[in-house]
Amino acid sequence: MPNTFSYVALFLWPVVVFFLYRSLPRDRALIASILGGYLLLPFGVGINLPVLPTYDKTLVPVLSALIMAMLVPAPPERATARGSATVADRAGRTPFTRQRETLARRQTHLQTQKAGPGETTGSGGNRISNMFLVLLFVTPFVSVLTNSQPVDIGPRVLPGLRLYDAFSFALTSLISVLPFLMARRYLATQRAHKYLLIGLVLWGLFYTLPALYEIRMSPQLARRIYGFLAQQFVQAMRDGGFRPVVFLQHGLWLAIYFAMAILAAAALWRTCRAEGDRKAPRWLFALVWLLGTLILAKSLGALAVALVLLPVALLFSPRAQVVATAIIAAVILTYPALRHADLIPVNRFVAAAESYSPERARSLEFRLVNEDRLLAHARQKPLAGWGGWGRGRVYSEHGRDISVTDGMWIIVMSDSGWLGYIANFGLLTIPIFLIALRRRGSGLPPATVGLSVVLTANLIDMIPNATLTPVTWMIAGALTGWLARREAAKAPPEGPPARRAPPRPPTRATA
């Protein structure tokens, strides 16, 4: 059972967010609020509110950041011209580089004054993302219209959906995409992307300390601090040791965060090298430390994702990176259709897992069997799914739930059908596609390309696991906002064309 301190932590986090917004710029305060709340607050503790979503670690950081962004004035910039030059000299940048960066900051400031931070709603990137957002909010109403009748399964009766459910589902969707919307507005610059990468790495380094403790002593921190462990303890036992959980939902969630932090460290190394920073090797040391912790965490899936994408982040050119991430994103976006057409070699994956560990192979095969069963059930409601209240799950003739949902893709397909799948995964993959389509333009910032690789790692993990978190939405929103700002900077000024001055009459000299 959750103890008193777990509820105190939930109610004190808005105070922490208030001080973050008082002392940090908007972008850094938002990053610290989302990452800190996701990693520090207890999972599985919440207060159920009527109509509104549950007051828990998903709602509290995002809603607090939104309220503080509207109420707390931004702190003044503390850096002076002399201080900036000193920092630049320490980083090894030349006066010409500093002058070029100053001009770029002035240009960004002028664009912000013209369109507002992230308010370039007329750009292609924002128009497409707004279409997916509308689809995301419309889908629950379509689900209700197609699931108004109850379902009888032996002694079990699943109730039909009502209009109340549609508003509740739509409000839950709004809360889930709030990090996307806020990041699209406040994290739309190259500087914010670098801060986001730094936040992922620094929080990851901090999290390695409790993770290493739990690897040695077993997952006990959540039980000792918050009074309970979110997952079953037997699931933390792996290969004669323990898989850390800390304060997250499951050890798999912790493992994929470490994988994302590893790729973020690789992106920071390339970013600092491009800026001429002589301290770039420190990010390689962080990468090695995080990779060692992930290996000790005994999570094969997240480790495989990190090892596959790490050469892409370290060795590929920015152009090759965005092409590779776009190909992977296309597979993710069409995964249900590819799986239905048997174009995904699942048997080869099982055989590869068998060569590594028979236990892992049996676990993977069990997941695939359940996914096939759920996918066959979802095909009965392909447009908008079965809705909520367990209608998308599979039951025996005696009314017993015999389905196990692991992957995010099958959860969305079962509950929301193709409309919900395209809305959710479209928002997550569209910035990767647009960055790849615009690769022939000016040079892509290394931090932005690195964020695309980090987001791709999380997308891959959402096939076997339901690891869609506020951090995922924040990264996708930051990439979408950057695309919108870039398109706005290249767009011609709005308004009527300037009138030409009438020709001057000829003078005596010209006559």
Side-chain angles (χ1 to χ4, degrees), residues 84-157:
S84 301
T86 304
V87 173
D89 291 336
R90 291 177 181 176
R93 295 193 290 272
T94 63
F96 174 75
T97 305
R98 295 197 302 271
Q99 183 180 7
R100 185 174 58 185
E101 293 176 353
T102 302
L103 293 175
R105 284 194 299 269
R106 290 177 180 175
Q107 184 179 4
T108 303
H109 178 67
L110 291 176
Q111 295 170 7
T112 304
Q113 286 183 334
K114 177 181 177 182
E119 292 180 355
T120 53
T121 56
S123 63
N126 271 4
R127 280 198 303 267
I128 298 175
S129 63
N130 288 339
M131 291 170 55
F132 286 124
L133 286 170
V134 171
L135 182 61
L136 185 68
F137 299 137
V138 169
T139 300
F141 294 91
V142 181
S143 296
V144 168
L145 291 176
T146 56
N147 291 277
S148 59
Q149 299 297 324
V151 178
D152 297 331
I153 309 173
R156 182 190 292 263
V157 178

Side-chain angles (χ1 to χ4, degrees), residues 118-345:
E119 292 180 355
T120 53
T121 56
S123 63
N126 271 4
R127 280 198 303 267
I128 298 175
S129 63
N130 288 339
M131 291 170 55
F132 286 124
L133 286 170
V134 171
L135 182 61
L136 185 68
F137 299 137
V138 169
T139 300
F141 294 91
V142 181
S143 296
V144 168
L145 291 176
T146 56
N147 291 277
S148 59
Q149 299 297 324
V151 178
D152 297 331
I153 309 173
R156 182 190 292 263
V157 178
L158 302 177
L161 301 183
R162 303 167 297 167
L163 187 60
Y164 172 89
D165 299 316
F167 284 104
S168 179
F169 296 156
L171 186 58
T172 302
S173 299
L174 174 62
I175 296 299
S176 66
V177 298
L178 272 181
F180 177 91
L181 297 174
M182 296 190 66
R184 192 175 71 171
R185 178 179 177 87
Y186 295 110
L187 304 182
T189 62
Q190 300 179 29
R191 182 188 71 171
H193 290 182
K194 185 176 179 181
Y195 284 151
L196 183 50
L197 291 173
I198 292 175
L200 289 170
V201 175
L202 293 184
W203 277 102
L205 291 174
F206 165 75
Y207 230 56
T208 58
L209 301 179
L212 290 172
Y213 171 84
E214 290 194 343
I215 291 172
R216 179 65 180 87
M217 304 300 296
S218 80
Q220 296 292 336
L221 291 176
R223 191 189 307 275
R224 293 179 179 178
I225 296 177
Y226 293 123
F228 77 110
L229 184 64
Q231 72 172 46
Q232 296 180 1
F233 185 80
V234 67
Q235 295 180 352
M237 302 176 63
R238 181 61 60 90
D239 298 335
F242 300 101
R243 186 163 56 185
V245 181
V246 194
F247 306 128
L248 297 185
Q249 177 177 352
H250 194 279
L252 297 173
W253 273 249
L254 176 59
I256 192 58
Y257 182 85
F258 280 152
M260 295 166 66
I262 290 169
L263 298 173
L268 282 172
W269 175 70
R270 296 193 63 163
T271 301
C272 292
R273 286 189 60 191
E275 295 176 351
D277 192 343
R278 290 175 294 183
K279 296 182 179 180
R282 60 185 173 182
W283 300 115
L284 287 181
F285 292 130
L287 187 156
V288 173
W289 179 265
L290 289 165
L291 182 60
T293 306
L294 179 57
I295 293 174
L296 294 176
K298 303 178 182 67
S299 183
L300 180 61
L303 180 60
V305 171
L307 294 180
V308 168
L309 291 179
L310 192 56
V312 177
L314 289 175
L315 305 177
F316 283 28
S317 66
R319 189 170 179 177
Q321 288 185 59
V322 296
V323 172
T325 55
I327 293 174
I328 297 174
V331 174
I332 300 296
L333 187 60
T334 58
Y335 185 83
L338 297 174
R339 182 67 186 280
H340 175 63
D342 292 331
L343 297 177
I344 303 296

